[in-house]
Amino acid sequence: MQTFNLVGETDIKEVVKSERRRYKRYLDKYQDPATQYAFDVLFTDKYITGRDAQLACFRHLQDLGRQRDKDFPYHYDTDYVTMIENFTRILPNPDNFRVTLEPYNWQSFILDSLLGWRTEENGTRYTTANISVSRRQGKTFIASMLMNFYYFIVAAEATSQDFLVASYDSEHATKLFNDVSIQAKKLIKMPAFKEWAKENDVDAQTQQVIGRVSKNTIRKGTSEGGGFDSFHNVIAIYDEIGNLRPDKNETLRQITSGQNGIKNRMFVKISTAYPNGKVKFKKDQDLMRKIIEQDDLREADNTFQIIYAQDSENEVFEESIWGKSNPNLNEMSDEKYRSELNSLIKDRDDADRSGELATFVNKSLNIWSRKFQNSYLSLENIQKNIIESFDVYGRDVYIGFDGSQSNDNTSFGFAFPYREGNQNKYFFKQHSFIPFAQAKTIDAKEKQDGLNYRALSKLGFCEITRSLEGTIDKNQVYHWLENYIAENDLKVKMIALDPNLSSWLLKRIENYHDEWPVSTVRPVSQVLSNPTKDLQSQFINGHAKILDDPLIIDGFTNAVLIEDRGGAVKIDRMNRTSDHIDTSDALINAHTGAQFYFEDFKDADYNPFNDLSREQKKDYFKRMFG
């Protein structure tokens, strides 16, 4: 079977169009809603879908073809698909008991995939699921249906089983639990479950659904309240996980560690996008995307992922393709489609007028972005400039320094101007030093900032301070810079620093390396405005390159632009406690000099006579030779 590497491919449908005949054979064999949907997404214009949804459909069809492979111990069982499809159609709509739910095809794709794919022992293949879609699309339906299916079907004959409905706070956990409980109350009265419910004395209460005989219990919990580690949940569903603070990530490990060894275990993470792109759910999505793109990787075959989102922030004003993030639009009647789309357009326009467009982009278009919050750089403009490597040896360099006071990191920023063809470009990198005095321990510092500094230090992006007190070790910082310049034979064009916080470094350079040009940079908008804008434009235009360095990415995504009364700008951070922009400050300091590098730059083969007129050349030679 042909495999694909889809890294960097923007048009998934175009790349896989040669496989239509092969995939059609799978469709003829299985004829289930999920397989039909996957085929239609890739080979018809029936649905408007984004790249991530197309990747999920591609993965489903590819996996159908590799079921007999030795390194793929899974199979697709349509008997389980039939069970989940039938179950959804008897569930009452929590908003209207007189109406049963009818899943959209995109919802069937998710449900059929989660239940239809099985291990060799007929357990669930997908023990983890990442599901992301805009609001008002039925996330709660998927979650509540899965929970009740597990309670009333999967674990019906088991005893003492735990089930968890969770979120980051009580309000969101309660909202999902209420839908689960409302459906459960209706189910225990239905002929198909009435006798079983009576035998197990099942009661759907306001705080739990409990079988007093079987001891099977659906509970709700929050990361704020904790207490997840004392249960072994057959299924745990975490709603709006995209808003989970990094310092609460430990609660997720409590959930999953308690599920080890359970045959049909499943941890379902559901959310829309949020402004903060450094949360764990976003990182999980990015990692899974890379794995799915490389079709021959078997690293995460137990994780399901589907994301319904716009492919670009630029699509906020392209209403005709909002079906990418609002998949219900693809399956509505014409009348309902017009009504729903007009409602979304009104929400967009109202948000735009009131300065709240960022919330609409996050929640209604499912885009992780701070672009509309006056952010300095969008995640899209950062990620498009990432490269695998860059050789800095022997190059001209501009160095910026951002010293810390207490909890902030201390950072060097490096700007390496270079030419690629006839284009002027910059390679930017950083190196940071991490204090932990205020946080007390490096472990607490990592949880507070949402960055694994110890792992990043092994990759060469930073160093943990050597000071036993957790404060910045100035000798460590200075000697690192000295060694880095010497080892890479760098030609220092300028070192730019704020004299208020960096006087100690300035004195050492003056005493030991007076050959390094130093420029003091006051941290005010009048001084920083031009380099701040120019650095921003280099990233937007694709002329800035960086490594896949979480400290640089974190620094840029945390930075927002603030403007003074005269129109000059500088960057600041949104959250004063945990949002660090030290690397961005250091890079902007470096760019105060680097921005002018190419004004007088000449290629190595530059001939100055080419700039002279015929008369100027005659005068030059006359002066030289008489």
Side-chain angles (χ1 to χ4, degrees), residues 259-309:
Q259 292 185 301
N260 290 336
I262 300 175
K263 179 180 178 181
N264 286 295
R265 71 185 185 277
M266 189 178 293
F267 181 33
V268 181
K269 298 175 285 183
I270 300 180
S271 187
T272 55
Y274 281 83
N276 186 0
K278 69 177 184 179
V279 296
K280 188 177 187 304
F281 186 57
K282 177 62 167 62
K283 293 177 180 177
D284 290 345
Q285 287 183 12
D286 292 342
L287 177 60
M288 272 307 302
R289 182 184 298 109
K290 291 180 180 179
I291 292 173
I292 296 173
E293 287 173 339
Q294 300 174 72
D295 180 35
D296 57 346
L297 288 185
R298 305 271 66 83
E299 293 180 8
D301 276 339
N302 65 329
T303 300
F304 173 82
Q305 174 161 295
I306 188 157
I307 303 168
Y308 287 97

Short mmCIF file of all heavy atoms in Angstrom, two decimals, residues 259-309:
data_model
loop_
_atom_site.label_atom_id
_atom_site.label_comp_id
_atom_site.label_asym_id
_atom_site.label_seq_id
_atom_site.Cartn_x
_atom_site.Cartn_y
_atom_site.Cartn_z
N GLN A 259 -6.52 5.15 34.54
CA GLN A 259 -7.20 4.33 33.52
C GLN A 259 -6.35 3.16 33.04
O GLN A 259 -6.85 2.32 32.28
CB GLN A 259 -7.55 5.21 32.31
CG GLN A 259 -8.62 6.25 32.60
CD GLN A 259 -9.02 6.99 31.33
OE1 GLN A 259 -8.19 7.63 30.68
NE2 GLN A 259 -10.29 6.90 30.98
N ASN A 260 -5.11 3.09 33.44
CA ASN A 260 -4.21 2.03 32.97
C ASN A 260 -4.80 0.65 33.26
O ASN A 260 -5.28 0.38 34.36
CB ASN A 260 -2.84 2.16 33.63
CG ASN A 260 -2.07 3.36 33.14
OD1 ASN A 260 -2.31 3.85 32.03
ND2 ASN A 260 -1.15 3.86 33.94
N GLY A 261 -4.74 -0.22 32.24
CA GLY A 261 -5.19 -1.60 32.41
C GLY A 261 -6.65 -1.84 32.12
O GLY A 261 -7.10 -2.99 32.12
N ILE A 262 -7.42 -0.76 31.88
CA ILE A 262 -8.85 -0.93 31.58
C ILE A 262 -9.01 -1.19 30.09
O ILE A 262 -8.57 -0.39 29.26
CB ILE A 262 -9.64 0.32 32.02
CG1 ILE A 262 -9.50 0.55 33.52
CG2 ILE A 262 -11.12 0.17 31.64
CD1 ILE A 262 -10.15 1.82 34.03
N LYS A 263 -9.68 -2.27 29.74
CA LYS A 263 -9.74 -2.74 28.35
C LYS A 263 -10.37 -1.72 27.41
O LYS A 263 -9.85 -1.47 26.31
CB LYS A 263 -10.52 -4.05 28.29
CG LYS A 263 -10.68 -4.61 26.88
CD LYS A 263 -11.47 -5.91 26.90
CE LYS A 263 -11.67 -6.46 25.50
NZ LYS A 263 -12.45 -7.71 25.48
N ASN A 264 -11.47 -1.14 27.79
CA ASN A 264 -12.20 -0.21 26.91
C ASN A 264 -12.03 1.25 27.33
O ASN A 264 -12.91 2.07 27.07
CB ASN A 264 -13.68 -0.58 26.87
CG ASN A 264 -13.95 -1.83 26.06
OD1 ASN A 264 -13.73 -1.84 24.85
ND2 ASN A 264 -14.39 -2.88 26.72
N ARG A 265 -10.93 1.56 27.98
CA ARG A 265 -10.74 2.92 28.50
C ARG A 265 -10.70 3.94 27.38
O ARG A 265 -10.28 3.65 26.26
CB ARG A 265 -9.45 3.00 29.32
CG ARG A 265 -8.18 2.91 28.48
CD ARG A 265 -6.96 2.88 29.39
NE ARG A 265 -5.71 2.92 28.65
CZ ARG A 265 -5.12 1.85 28.12
NH1 ARG A 265 -5.70 0.66 28.22
NH2 ARG A 265 -3.98 1.97 27.47
N MET A 266 -11.14 5.15 27.72
CA MET A 266 -11.11 6.23 26.74
C MET A 266 -11.04 7.56 27.49
O MET A 266 -11.77 7.77 28.47
CB MET A 266 -12.33 6.19 25.83
CG MET A 266 -12.25 7.17 24.66
SD MET A 266 -13.70 7.05 23.56
CE MET A 266 -13.47 5.41 22.86
N PHE A 267 -10.17 8.43 27.04
CA PHE A 267 -10.08 9.80 27.58
C PHE A 267 -10.35 10.74 26.42
O PHE A 267 -9.57 10.83 25.48
CB PHE A 267 -8.69 10.05 28.17
CG PHE A 267 -8.52 11.43 28.77
CD1 PHE A 267 -9.59 12.09 29.36
CD2 PHE A 267 -7.30 12.07 28.74
CE1 PHE A 267 -9.44 13.35 29.92
CE2 PHE A 267 -7.13 13.33 29.30
CZ PHE A 267 -8.21 13.97 29.89
N VAL A 268 -11.49 11.43 26.49
CA VAL A 268 -11.94 12.30 25.41
C VAL A 268 -11.73 13.76 25.81
O VAL A 268 -12.27 14.22 26.82
CB VAL A 268 -13.43 12.06 25.08
CG1 VAL A 268 -13.88 12.96 23.94
CG2 VAL A 268 -13.65 10.59 24.74
N LYS A 269 -10.93 14.46 25.03
CA LYS A 269 -10.66 15.89 25.27
C LYS A 269 -11.38 16.70 24.20
O LYS A 269 -11.14 16.50 23.01
CB LYS A 269 -9.15 16.14 25.23
CG LYS A 269 -8.37 15.39 26.30
CD LYS A 269 -6.86 15.56 26.14
CE LYS A 269 -6.32 14.77 24.99
NZ LYS A 269 -4.85 14.86 24.87
N ILE A 270 -12.24 17.61 24.65
CA ILE A 270 -13.07 18.38 23.72
C ILE A 270 -12.90 19.86 24.02
O ILE A 270 -12.90 20.27 25.18
CB ILE A 270 -14.55 17.98 23.83
CG1 ILE A 270 -14.74 16.50 23.51
CG2 ILE A 270 -15.41 18.82 22.90
CD1 ILE A 270 -16.18 16.03 23.58
N SER A 271 -12.77 20.67 22.97
CA SER A 271 -12.63 22.10 23.21
C SER A 271 -12.73 22.90 21.93
O SER A 271 -12.49 22.38 20.83
CB SER A 271 -11.29 22.40 23.89
OG SER A 271 -11.21 23.76 24.28
N THR A 272 -13.06 24.17 22.10
CA THR A 272 -12.81 25.15 21.04
C THR A 272 -11.40 25.69 21.24
O THR A 272 -10.70 25.31 22.18
CB THR A 272 -13.82 26.31 21.13
OG1 THR A 272 -13.74 26.87 22.45
CG2 THR A 272 -15.23 25.85 20.88
N ALA A 273 -10.99 26.60 20.36
CA ALA A 273 -9.69 27.25 20.50
C ALA A 273 -9.78 28.39 21.50
O ALA A 273 -10.86 28.89 21.81
CB ALA A 273 -9.23 27.78 19.14
N TYR A 274 -8.61 28.79 21.99
CA TYR A 274 -8.51 29.90 22.93
C TYR A 274 -7.35 30.80 22.50
O TYR A 274 -6.58 30.44 21.60
CB TYR A 274 -8.28 29.38 24.35
CG TYR A 274 -9.55 28.88 25.02
CD1 TYR A 274 -10.02 27.59 24.79
CD2 TYR A 274 -10.29 29.72 25.85
CE1 TYR A 274 -11.20 27.14 25.39
CE2 TYR A 274 -11.46 29.28 26.45
CZ TYR A 274 -11.90 27.99 26.22
OH TYR A 274 -13.06 27.55 26.81
N PRO A 275 -7.20 31.97 23.11
CA PRO A 275 -6.08 32.84 22.71
C PRO A 275 -4.72 32.27 23.04
O PRO A 275 -3.75 32.48 22.29
CB PRO A 275 -6.33 34.13 23.52
CG PRO A 275 -7.77 34.08 23.93
CD PRO A 275 -8.09 32.63 24.07
N ASN A 276 -4.61 31.55 24.16
CA ASN A 276 -3.31 31.08 24.63
C ASN A 276 -2.90 29.80 23.91
O ASN A 276 -3.37 28.71 24.22
CB ASN A 276 -3.36 30.85 26.14
CG ASN A 276 -1.99 30.51 26.71
OD1 ASN A 276 -0.99 30.43 25.98
ND2 ASN A 276 -1.92 30.33 28.01
N GLY A 277 -1.99 29.94 22.96
CA GLY A 277 -1.57 28.80 22.16
C GLY A 277 -0.52 27.92 22.79
O GLY A 277 -0.05 26.97 22.17
N LYS A 278 -0.14 28.19 24.05
CA LYS A 278 0.89 27.37 24.67
C LYS A 278 0.31 26.34 25.65
O LYS A 278 1.06 25.66 26.34
CB LYS A 278 1.91 28.24 25.40
CG LYS A 278 1.43 28.94 26.64
CD LYS A 278 2.57 29.70 27.30
CE LYS A 278 2.14 30.36 28.61
NZ LYS A 278 3.24 31.08 29.26
N VAL A 279 -1.02 26.22 25.70
CA VAL A 279 -1.64 25.23 26.58
C VAL A 279 -1.39 23.82 26.04
O VAL A 279 -1.10 23.62 24.86
CB VAL A 279 -3.15 25.47 26.74
CG1 VAL A 279 -3.40 26.81 27.41
CG2 VAL A 279 -3.86 25.41 25.40
N LYS A 280 -1.55 22.84 26.91
CA LYS A 280 -1.23 21.46 26.55
C LYS A 280 -2.09 20.94 25.42
O LYS A 280 -1.61 20.22 24.54
CB LYS A 280 -1.38 20.56 27.78
CG LYS A 280 -0.89 19.13 27.54
CD LYS A 280 -0.99 18.29 28.80
CE LYS A 280 -0.34 16.94 28.59
NZ LYS A 280 -0.89 16.19 27.44
N PHE A 281 -3.38 21.28 25.41
CA PHE A 281 -4.26 20.77 24.37
C PHE A 281 -3.80 21.22 22.99
O PHE A 281 -3.83 20.44 22.03
CB PHE A 281 -5.70 21.22 24.62
CG PHE A 281 -6.71 20.61 23.69
CD1 PHE A 281 -6.84 19.24 23.56
CD2 PHE A 281 -7.54 21.42 22.92
CE1 PHE A 281 -7.79 18.68 22.71
CE2 PHE A 281 -8.48 20.87 22.06
CZ PHE A 281 -8.61 19.50 21.96
N LYS A 282 -3.37 22.47 22.86
CA LYS A 282 -2.86 22.96 21.58
C LYS A 282 -1.58 22.23 21.20
O LYS A 282 -1.38 21.86 20.03
CB LYS A 282 -2.61 24.47 21.66
CG LYS A 282 -1.99 25.07 20.39
CD LYS A 282 -2.92 24.92 19.19
CE LYS A 282 -2.48 25.76 18.01
NZ LYS A 282 -1.16 25.41 17.47
N LYS A 283 -0.70 22.01 22.15
CA LYS A 283 0.54 21.29 21.87
C LYS A 283 0.25 19.86 21.47
O LYS A 283 0.91 19.31 20.58
CB LYS A 283 1.46 21.34 23.09
CG LYS A 283 1.98 22.73 23.41
CD LYS A 283 2.83 22.74 24.67
CE LYS A 283 3.33 24.15 24.98
NZ LYS A 283 4.11 24.19 26.24
N ASP A 284 -0.75 19.23 22.12
CA ASP A 284 -1.15 17.86 21.75
C ASP A 284 -1.65 17.82 20.31
O ASP A 284 -1.34 16.89 19.55
CB ASP A 284 -2.24 17.36 22.69
CG ASP A 284 -1.73 17.08 24.10
OD1 ASP A 284 -0.50 17.02 24.28
OD2 ASP A 284 -2.57 16.94 25.01
N GLN A 285 -2.45 18.82 19.94
CA GLN A 285 -2.97 18.88 18.57
C GLN A 285 -1.82 18.99 17.56
O GLN A 285 -1.80 18.29 16.54
CB GLN A 285 -3.88 20.09 18.42
CG GLN A 285 -5.22 19.97 19.09
CD GLN A 285 -6.10 21.18 18.83
OE1 GLN A 285 -5.81 22.01 17.97
NE2 GLN A 285 -7.17 21.30 19.58
N ASP A 286 -0.87 19.88 17.83
CA ASP A 286 0.24 20.10 16.90
C ASP A 286 1.08 18.83 16.74
O ASP A 286 1.52 18.50 15.63
CB ASP A 286 1.11 21.25 17.39
CG ASP A 286 0.40 22.59 17.32
OD1 ASP A 286 -0.61 22.69 16.60
OD2 ASP A 286 0.85 23.53 17.99
N LEU A 287 1.32 18.14 17.85
CA LEU A 287 2.10 16.91 17.79
C LEU A 287 1.38 15.84 16.99
O LEU A 287 1.98 15.17 16.13
CB LEU A 287 2.39 16.41 19.21
CG LEU A 287 3.14 15.08 19.31
CD1 LEU A 287 4.51 15.18 18.64
CD2 LEU A 287 3.29 14.65 20.77
N MET A 288 0.08 15.67 17.23
CA MET A 288 -0.68 14.65 16.51
C MET A 288 -0.76 14.98 15.02
O MET A 288 -0.72 14.08 14.18
CB MET A 288 -2.09 14.53 17.09
CG MET A 288 -2.20 13.55 18.24
SD MET A 288 -1.54 11.90 17.85
CE MET A 288 -2.56 11.45 16.44
N ARG A 289 -0.87 16.25 14.70
CA ARG A 289 -0.91 16.63 13.29
C ARG A 289 0.36 16.17 12.56
O ARG A 289 0.30 15.63 11.46
CB ARG A 289 -1.08 18.14 13.16
CG ARG A 289 -1.17 18.61 11.70
CD ARG A 289 -1.23 20.12 11.59
NE ARG A 289 -2.42 20.65 12.25
CZ ARG A 289 -2.39 21.35 13.39
NH1 ARG A 289 -1.24 21.59 13.99
NH2 ARG A 289 -3.50 21.81 13.91
N LYS A 290 1.50 16.38 13.19
CA LYS A 290 2.77 15.96 12.59
C LYS A 290 2.83 14.45 12.39
O LYS A 290 3.35 13.96 11.39
CB LYS A 290 3.94 16.43 13.46
CG LYS A 290 4.15 17.93 13.48
CD LYS A 290 5.33 18.31 14.37
CE LYS A 290 5.53 19.82 14.39
NZ LYS A 290 6.67 20.22 15.27
N ILE A 291 2.27 13.71 13.34
CA ILE A 291 2.28 12.26 13.24
C ILE A 291 1.36 11.79 12.12
O ILE A 291 1.71 10.91 11.32
CB ILE A 291 1.88 11.64 14.59
CG1 ILE A 291 2.97 11.90 15.63
CG2 ILE A 291 1.64 10.13 14.45
CD1 ILE A 291 2.61 11.48 17.03
N ILE A 292 0.16 12.36 12.05
CA ILE A 292 -0.78 11.95 11.00
C ILE A 292 -0.23 12.29 9.61
O ILE A 292 -0.41 11.54 8.65
CB ILE A 292 -2.15 12.62 11.22
CG1 ILE A 292 -2.78 12.15 12.53
CG2 ILE A 292 -3.10 12.33 10.06
CD1 ILE A 292 -4.04 12.88 12.92
N GLU A 293 0.45 13.43 9.51
CA GLU A 293 1.02 13.84 8.22
C GLU A 293 2.02 12.82 7.71
O GLU A 293 2.15 12.61 6.50
CB GLU A 293 1.70 15.20 8.37
CG GLU A 293 0.75 16.36 8.51
CD GLU A 293 1.47 17.67 8.82
OE1 GLU A 293 2.61 17.61 9.32
OE2 GLU A 293 0.90 18.74 8.57
N GLN A 294 2.74 12.17 8.61
CA GLN A 294 3.73 11.15 8.22
C GLN A 294 3.07 9.79 8.34
O GLN A 294 3.12 9.14 9.38
CB GLN A 294 4.97 11.28 9.10
CG GLN A 294 5.62 12.66 8.97
CD GLN A 294 6.76 12.87 9.94
OE1 GLN A 294 7.83 12.28 9.78
NE2 GLN A 294 6.53 13.71 10.95
N ASP A 295 2.48 9.38 7.26
CA ASP A 295 1.56 8.25 7.22
C ASP A 295 2.17 6.94 7.72
O ASP A 295 1.46 6.06 8.21
CB ASP A 295 1.06 8.10 5.78
CG ASP A 295 0.08 6.97 5.60
OD1 ASP A 295 -0.70 6.73 6.54
OD2 ASP A 295 0.09 6.34 4.54
N ASP A 296 3.47 6.79 7.60
CA ASP A 296 4.09 5.52 7.98
C ASP A 296 4.48 5.47 9.46
O ASP A 296 5.01 4.47 9.93
CB ASP A 296 5.32 5.22 7.12
CG ASP A 296 6.35 6.33 7.18
OD1 ASP A 296 6.02 7.43 7.67
OD2 ASP A 296 7.49 6.10 6.74
N LEU A 297 4.24 6.54 10.21
CA LEU A 297 4.55 6.55 11.63
C LEU A 297 3.47 5.80 12.42
O LEU A 297 2.29 5.97 12.19
CB LEU A 297 4.65 7.99 12.17
CG LEU A 297 5.86 8.81 11.74
CD1 LEU A 297 5.85 10.16 12.47
CD2 LEU A 297 7.16 8.08 12.04
N ARG A 298 3.90 5.00 13.37
CA ARG A 298 2.96 4.25 14.22
C ARG A 298 3.08 4.72 15.67
O ARG A 298 2.81 3.97 16.59
CB ARG A 298 3.25 2.75 14.13
CG ARG A 298 3.23 2.17 12.73
CD ARG A 298 1.83 1.70 12.34
NE ARG A 298 0.88 2.78 12.21
CZ ARG A 298 0.74 3.54 11.11
NH1 ARG A 298 1.51 3.33 10.07
NH2 ARG A 298 -0.15 4.50 11.07
N GLU A 299 3.49 5.94 15.88
CA GLU A 299 3.79 6.41 17.22
C GLU A 299 2.55 6.69 18.07
O GLU A 299 2.62 6.64 19.28
CB GLU A 299 4.64 7.69 17.14
CG GLU A 299 6.03 7.46 16.56
CD GLU A 299 6.82 8.75 16.51
OE1 GLU A 299 6.35 9.77 17.06
OE2 GLU A 299 7.90 8.76 15.89
N ALA A 300 1.43 7.02 17.46
CA ALA A 300 0.25 7.39 18.25
C ALA A 300 -1.01 6.79 17.63
O ALA A 300 -2.02 7.47 17.47
CB ALA A 300 0.13 8.91 18.35
N ASP A 301 -0.96 5.52 17.32
CA ASP A 301 -2.11 4.87 16.71
C ASP A 301 -3.29 4.74 17.66
O ASP A 301 -4.40 4.40 17.25
CB ASP A 301 -1.72 3.47 16.20
CG ASP A 301 -1.10 3.53 14.82
OD1 ASP A 301 -1.32 4.53 14.11
OD2 ASP A 301 -0.38 2.59 14.44
N ASN A 302 -3.05 5.00 18.95
CA ASN A 302 -4.16 4.91 19.92
C ASN A 302 -4.80 6.27 20.20
O ASN A 302 -5.64 6.38 21.09
CB ASN A 302 -3.65 4.31 21.23
CG ASN A 302 -2.65 5.22 21.92
OD1 ASN A 302 -1.91 5.95 21.25
ND2 ASN A 302 -2.61 5.18 23.24
N THR A 303 -4.40 7.31 19.45
CA THR A 303 -4.97 8.64 19.66
C THR A 303 -5.74 9.09 18.42
O THR A 303 -5.19 9.12 17.32
CB THR A 303 -3.88 9.67 19.97
OG1 THR A 303 -3.20 9.28 21.16
CG2 THR A 303 -4.48 11.06 20.17
N PHE A 304 -7.00 9.42 18.61
CA PHE A 304 -7.85 9.94 17.54
C PHE A 304 -7.81 11.46 17.58
O PHE A 304 -7.82 12.06 18.66
CB PHE A 304 -9.28 9.46 17.73
CG PHE A 304 -10.28 10.07 16.77
CD1 PHE A 304 -10.42 9.56 15.48
CD2 PHE A 304 -11.08 11.13 17.15
CE1 PHE A 304 -11.34 10.11 14.60
CE2 PHE A 304 -12.00 11.69 16.28
CZ PHE A 304 -12.13 11.17 14.99
N GLN A 305 -7.77 12.07 16.41
CA GLN A 305 -7.82 13.53 16.38
C GLN A 305 -8.62 14.02 15.19
O GLN A 305 -8.41 13.58 14.06
CB GLN A 305 -6.41 14.13 16.31
CG GLN A 305 -6.41 15.67 16.13
CD GLN A 305 -5.10 16.30 16.50
OE1 GLN A 305 -4.69 16.26 17.66
NE2 GLN A 305 -4.43 16.90 15.53
N ILE A 306 -9.51 14.95 15.47
CA ILE A 306 -10.17 15.68 14.39
C ILE A 306 -10.37 17.12 14.84
O ILE A 306 -10.75 17.38 15.99
CB ILE A 306 -11.51 15.05 13.98
CG1 ILE A 306 -12.04 15.74 12.72
CG2 ILE A 306 -12.54 15.10 15.11
CD1 ILE A 306 -13.01 14.92 11.91
N ILE A 307 -10.06 18.04 13.96
CA ILE A 307 -10.16 19.46 14.24
C ILE A 307 -10.95 20.12 13.12
O ILE A 307 -10.56 20.02 11.95
CB ILE A 307 -8.77 20.11 14.35
CG1 ILE A 307 -7.92 19.41 15.41
CG2 ILE A 307 -8.89 21.60 14.64
CD1 ILE A 307 -6.46 19.81 15.37
N TYR A 308 -12.03 20.75 13.47
CA TYR A 308 -12.80 21.54 12.50
C TYR A 308 -12.47 23.01 12.76
O TYR A 308 -12.93 23.59 13.75
CB TYR A 308 -14.28 21.27 12.64
CG TYR A 308 -14.69 19.91 12.11
CD1 TYR A 308 -14.84 18.82 12.96
CD2 TYR A 308 -14.90 19.71 10.75
CE1 TYR A 308 -15.20 17.57 12.48
CE2 TYR A 308 -15.26 18.47 10.25
CZ TYR A 308 -15.40 17.40 11.12
OH TYR A 308 -15.75 16.17 10.62
N ALA A 309 -11.66 23.59 11.90
CA ALA A 309 -11.19 24.96 12.11
C ALA A 309 -10.89 25.61 10.77
O ALA A 309 -10.62 24.92 9.77
CB ALA A 309 -9.93 24.95 12.98
#
